[in-house]
Amino acid sequence: MYEDEDIVNRIASESTFSKQDIRSMLEKCKEDYPSGTLTKDNFASLFSKSFHQKNAEAFSELLYNVFDKDNDGSVDFVELLCGLALFSEGATYEELLNLAFEICDLNKDGTVDLKELVNFIASVYALHPSKRKQAKQLAQEDARRLYAKMSRNRKVRVKQPEFTRIISKDPFGRYIVKLLSGE
């Protein structure tokens, strides 16, 4: 049994995982990562295995930055399990849109610029063999198209409400939500 019930209770309150599942996952984490944290390389490897994705380095790095809630450069087990809960079946469409925004917002300033959007879209395309070679070019095109809709008043940076409003109506945005939901 995991020795810190406060941690188990905290994760249970922030996720759809049962306390028994949390204890099991924490024990497995302790077994696989005795330091109590995951490095970017550990995380990338875990992401690739868990989501059955090759060429996932760019996307896993974006996720790593989202999971590292305290910005200390590592992902501890609580951050890992709370982050994984975002991908669980209990996540709502709105929560997944918010997650997409959080992934895009690289500098965590509450806004997204064109460069951040290109980076995000390119990392998604890199996951797919049919689009991998053209990922950067396709990302540039889609990001410009989406960004033009988001920044109607020529704002340099877009806030979350405008981002999620446009993404939710766009075929690529719906695709992103499906990807994040594991469908």
Side-chain angles (χ1 to χ4, degrees), residues 43-56:
F43 187 86
S45 175
L46 180 65
F47 176 79
S48 294
K49 288 178 200 169
S50 299
F51 291 89
H52 310 292
Q53 296 289 342
K54 294 181 180 177
N55 299 315

Side-chain angles (χ1 to χ4, degrees), residues 6-165:
D6 289 340
I7 290 174
V8 171
N9 290 331
R10 179 176 159 215
I11 295 169
S13 73
E14 295 180 28
S15 74
T16 58
F17 299 135
S18 72
K19 289 183 180 183
Q20 183 177 345
D21 287 343
I22 294 167
R23 286 184 197 98
S24 295
M25 288 186 281
L26 286 170
E27 288 301 326
K28 179 71 172 142
C29 286
K30 286 176 89 175
E31 192 178 294
D32 293 347
Y33 307 101
S35 70
T37 61
L38 281 81
T39 63
K40 281 189 179 188
D41 289 339
N42 296 142
F43 187 86
S45 175
L46 180 65
F47 176 79
S48 294
K49 288 178 200 169
S50 299
F51 291 89
H52 310 292
Q53 296 289 342
K54 294 181 180 177
N55 299 315
E57 297 85 12
F59 194 74
S60 69
E61 186 167 333
L62 295 177
L63 282 181
Y64 186 86
N65 292 331
V66 171
F67 279 45
D68 181 15
K69 292 292 185 191
D70 61 7
N71 298 315
D72 69 352
S74 66
V75 173
D76 65 33
F77 298 155
V78 173
E79 290 170 323
L80 176 66
L81 294 184
C82 287
L84 290 175
L86 296 171
F87 294 94
S88 69
E89 292 177 21
T92 66
Y93 189 75
E94 186 175 304
E95 288 170 329
L96 294 169
L97 286 172
N98 292 338
L99 176 60
F101 179 83
E102 197 173 346
I103 293 169
C104 278
D105 184 14
L106 294 175
N107 63 5
K108 300 181 182 186
D109 69 349
T111 64
V112 170
D113 65 17
L114 181 61
K115 184 178 178 182
E116 289 171 319
L117 190 57
V118 168
N119 190 30
F120 173 62
I121 294 172
S123 72
V124 171
Y125 283 149
L127 296 172
H128 300 283
S130 65
K131 296 183 179 183
R132 196 169 297 134
K133 289 182 181 179
Q134 307 162 273
K136 206 61 167 173
Q137 179 187 348
L138 290 170
Q140 289 281 348
E141 292 167 9
D142 280 344
R144 283 190 186 109
R145 179 182 56 76
L146 286 168
Y147 203 75
K149 292 178 184 178
M150 290 178 201
S151 60
R152 289 176 296 179
N153 359 349
R154 305 276 184 213
K155 295 179 189 170
V156 177
R157 302 193 66 81
V158 177
K159 293 184 178 178
Q160 186 169 359
E162 193 64 12
F163 176 92
T164 55
R165 185 180 71 76

